[in-house]
Amino acid sequence: QRAQSPFGNVAAVCVWPRFVALARRLLPPTIAVAAVANFPGGAMDVERAVADVRQIVTAGGNEVDVVLPYSALMHGGPQAAQACAAFLAEVRAACGALTLKVIIESGVLQTEILITQATNLALDAGADFVKTSTGKTPVSATPQAAAVMLKTIAASGKAAVGFKASGGIRTVSDAQTYLELVTDVWGPAAI
């Protein structure tokens, strides 16, 4: 009911994989059902992530929000980056035509180098959106991380890839900061 307001419907309702069928049944077809995979910890467990995705696909979901194995990326060196790329490739394949949002957990990655690397891994895997965070860590979305992500997406030349700021954005004023960043980096048409 809260997804449908006099001001318009939300774009999607995000649920755990086990609730996708119920959400799809209760929501009008104009509201997408998104579900999380490898959430919230972002373990390097591709079998679990792919199982989550298959459950989402089978239940009629429209979107998958997968958590990049950010801890492995932070601590594992070049081999970890390759493992993350392989992880995301398998998740992308399991998604089929569903929208894939890759959550990089930018508040934990913190450095521009790691945020850029995680964003590029998501882009290279065919993500439709790169998302800041799960909202389950002490630091979620920040304007600084968002700027790095937006610039990295712009530099990739993949104009169809979206950006999603998530975690800790509670007010219109909070959201305005991110809208202004998108306008500054991608231009007003991107909004």
Side-chain angles (χ1 to χ4, degrees):
Q1 290 173 338
R2 287 176 48 208
Q4 303 170 73
S5 82
F7 306 103
N9 293 348
V10 299
V13 172
C14 190
V15 297
W16 290 98
R18 67 183 177 273
F19 296 123
V20 170
L22 175 64
R24 183 68 286 150
R25 195 168 56 251
L26 295 174
L27 290 166
T30 55
I31 298 178
V33 175
V36 293
N38 203 36
F39 188 89
M44 183 61 87
D45 185 348
V46 72
E47 289 178 14
R48 175 187 163 217
V50 168
D52 286 344
V53 172
R54 288 188 180 132
Q55 185 177 4
I56 295 163
V57 170
T58 301
N62 307 102
E63 303 178 1
V64 172
D65 287 27
V66 68
V67 182
L68 174 92
Y70 60 90
S71 185
L73 183 64
M74 286 175 60
H75 304 294
Q79 288 133 344
Q82 292 170 349
C84 286
F87 174 98
L88 290 175
E90 288 199 44
V91 167
R92 174 76 265 181
C95 285
L98 270 58
T99 297
L100 175 62
K101 293 177 287 208
V102 176
I103 304 167
I104 68 166
E105 207 62 90
S106 61
V108 175
L109 293 176
Q110 294 184 335
T111 70
E112 185 172 336
I113 291 169
L114 284 171
I115 292 167
T116 299
Q117 183 179 28
T119 302
N120 279 320
L121 285 167
L123 294 168
D124 292 344
D128 298 295
F129 285 84
V130 184
K131 187 172 169 179
T132 57
S133 64
T134 60
K136 303 293 184 188
T137 57
V139 178
S140 293
T142 66
Q144 296 79 15
V148 171
M149 294 168 70
L150 289 164
K151 289 174 186 172
T152 302
I153 294 167
S156 76
K158 297 179 180 178
V161 176
F163 164 78
K164 183 172 180 183
S166 126
I169 302 166
R170 306 251 186 279
T171 67
V172 172
S173 178
D174 293 341
Q176 186 63 35
T177 299
Y178 295 95
L179 292 171
E180 289 170 2
L181 272 170
V182 170
T183 301
D184 290 347
V185 178
W186 288 358
I191 296 297

